[in-house]
């Protein structure tokens, strides 16, 4: 592995190892990407499948707090958090300590062969932290997609019904079943079918683009969803409604007021299992431990992943005991699901979230960033909408012409979003896009990001937009 050694370590002074001790500064030592990253990119082409995408071609050497240091010694401000994963940081002390301690004892036994305490403890934490005071059970998995699939299995086993309702702009993962639940064709679905049957798509309450206007959006969209289920699918055929309380990949769409409560009420009356996919919104991201709390709703099942374990692969399904216990013994599980290292990391991440009041930090990030993003909307005509909650905020970028016929909002402009992201990357800001049309810039800073980096990142975003405006 000598070839790897020569490129995978940051040069002297780059601040490795990672963690909160990493110098919290933006610093550009080379162009982005630098020579070592470019070297690795060449190796990658011949070793890694093309279908695995990448946002920016810099190779990580260390990360923590609010920065990501690459193998060329560039220190970038991180507005991505590994897609809403490292809410507590990339190398949080409690995560690292728990993980190394657990690794010294054992890395694996398989919970289905000989169980261990960490798994049970994570399930206890999920019962304590998720909305609702009812009796709960959990099962643990390796990825968000796998957990969503299992939520569907559990709902079908409980109800004995086949149909699943999913929403426009939804994202639930990349396995076959979850790509079927996902709305966007490219790159998630095209060429990968046929997909699982009995999945029905209904409209998300998308205030910015709702024909009846943002005010009426929640109520009108709920009415349409309920009517479609009742008249076209038959409520008695529906096992589960699966929804992100704020849509992630779909473009950080915050549903219109009243939408989610109307749906939970309908599902409860119709015996439909209401599944909240909080894989992206969970663990403090939106300024509540879970986004459902803001809506005052209590899902029957809640799916978690991403931010649960401080960067380790772990996911869960948590919900009402009678639903969760419906599948037969042996029907749920997996070789690695609830791996001891991932569970130890999760306990460290949850302790960190609570001890450092990171849920409040997400609210603080909103208080600082949202007014600045609104100012950008007022200044630049191609910023059509600003939305989100907590540390999950977005700008929807649009063309400056009139709305396309039948649309209330200007047409999406993917090109300008791509240009903004590329320009941000060149300046040392990790910035992700999202959206069904790829025209949304999304901000997902780690909740532990120091204030000065948050402000500097927002300054950079402003510079980028003003640059783009000049050439637009
Ligand atoms: C990322 C994501 C998933 C899929 O999680 P993976 O761990 O990538 O399989 C599912 N649902 C939502 C809302 C997500 O954001």
């Amino acid at each position: 592995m000598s070839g790897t050694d020569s490129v995978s370590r940051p040069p002297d002074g780059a601040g490795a190892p990672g963690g909160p001790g990493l110098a919290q500064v933006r610093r550009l030592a080379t162009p982005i990407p630098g020579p070592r990253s470019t070297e690795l990119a060449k190796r990658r082409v011949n070793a890694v499948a093309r279908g695995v995408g990448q946002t920016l071609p810099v190779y990580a050497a260390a990360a923590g707090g609010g920065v990501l240091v690459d193998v060329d010694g560039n220190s970038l401000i991180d507005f991505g958090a590994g897609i809403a994963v490292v809410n507590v940081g990339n190398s949080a002390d409690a995560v690292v300590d728990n993980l190394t301690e657990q690794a010294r004892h054992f890395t694996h036994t398989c919970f289905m062969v000989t169980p261990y305490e960490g798994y049970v403890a994570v399930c206890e934490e999920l019962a304590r932290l998720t909305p609702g005071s009812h009796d709960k059970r959990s099962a643990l998995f390796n990825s968000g997609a796998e957990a969503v699939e299992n939520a569907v299995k559990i709902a079908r086993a409980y109800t004995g019904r086949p149909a699943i309702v999913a929403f426009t702009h939804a994202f639930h993962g990349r396995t076959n079943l979850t790509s079927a639940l996902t709305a966007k064709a490219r790159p998630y679905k095209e060429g990968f079918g046929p997909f699982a049957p009995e999945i029905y798509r209904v409209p998300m309450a998308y205030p910015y683009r709702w024909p009846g206007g943002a005010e009426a959006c929640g109520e009108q969209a709920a009415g349409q969803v309920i009517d479609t289920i009742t008249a076209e699918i038959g409520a008695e055929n529906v096992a589960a409604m699966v929804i992100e309380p704020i849509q992630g990949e779909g473009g950080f769409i915050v549903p219109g007021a009243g939408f989610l409560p109307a749906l939970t009420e309908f599902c409860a009356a119709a015996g439909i299992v209401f599944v909240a996919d909080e894989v992206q919104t969970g663990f403090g991201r939106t300024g509540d431990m879970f986004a459902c709390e803001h809506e005052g709703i209590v899902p029957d099942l809640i799916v978690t992943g991403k931010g649960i374990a401080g960067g380790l692969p772990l996911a869960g399904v948590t919900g009402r005991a009678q639903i969760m216990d419906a599948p037969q013994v042996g029907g749920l599980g997996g070789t690695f699901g609830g791996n001891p290292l991932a569970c130890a990391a999760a306990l460290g991440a949850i302790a960190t979230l609570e001890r450092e009041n990171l849920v409040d930090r997400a609210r603080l990030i909103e208080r600082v960033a949202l007014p600045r993003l609104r100012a950008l909307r007022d200044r630049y005509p191609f910023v059509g909408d600003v939305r989100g909650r907590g540390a999950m905020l977005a700008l929807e970028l649009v063309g400056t012409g009139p709305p396309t016929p039948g649309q209330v909002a200007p047409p999406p402009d993917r090109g300008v979003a791509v240009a903004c992201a590329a320009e941000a990357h060149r300046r040392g800001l990790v910035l992700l896009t999202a959206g069904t049309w790829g025209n949304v810039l999304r901000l997902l800073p780690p909740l532990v990001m120091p204030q000065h980096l948050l402000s500097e990142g927002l300054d950079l975003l402003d510079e980028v937009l003003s640059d783009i405006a000049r050439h637009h």
Side-chain angles (χ1 to χ4, degrees), residues 263-285:
L263 296 184
T264 47
E265 203 174 299
F266 168 74
C267 286
I272 297 169
V273 177
F274 184 90
V275 181
D277 178 348
E278 291 236 25
V279 170
Q280 190 155 160
T281 49
F283 292 97
R285 177 53 55 187

Side-chain angles (χ1 to χ4, degrees), residues 143-146 148 171-174 244 248-249 277 279-280 306:
S143 71
E146 192 189 358
V148 172
F171 181 87
H172 297 292
R174 291 179 157 91
E244 301 152 86
E249 306 299 304
D277 178 348
V279 170
Q280 190 155 160
K306 292 200 164 94

Side-chain angles (χ1 to χ4, degrees), residues 134-137 154 158 319-327:
H134 49 278
D135 201 14
K136 294 174 197 159
R137 304 282 184 271
I154 293 163
Y158 175 69
R320 297 185 190 281
Q322 74 272 23
I323 302 176
M324 289 298 297
D325 282 338

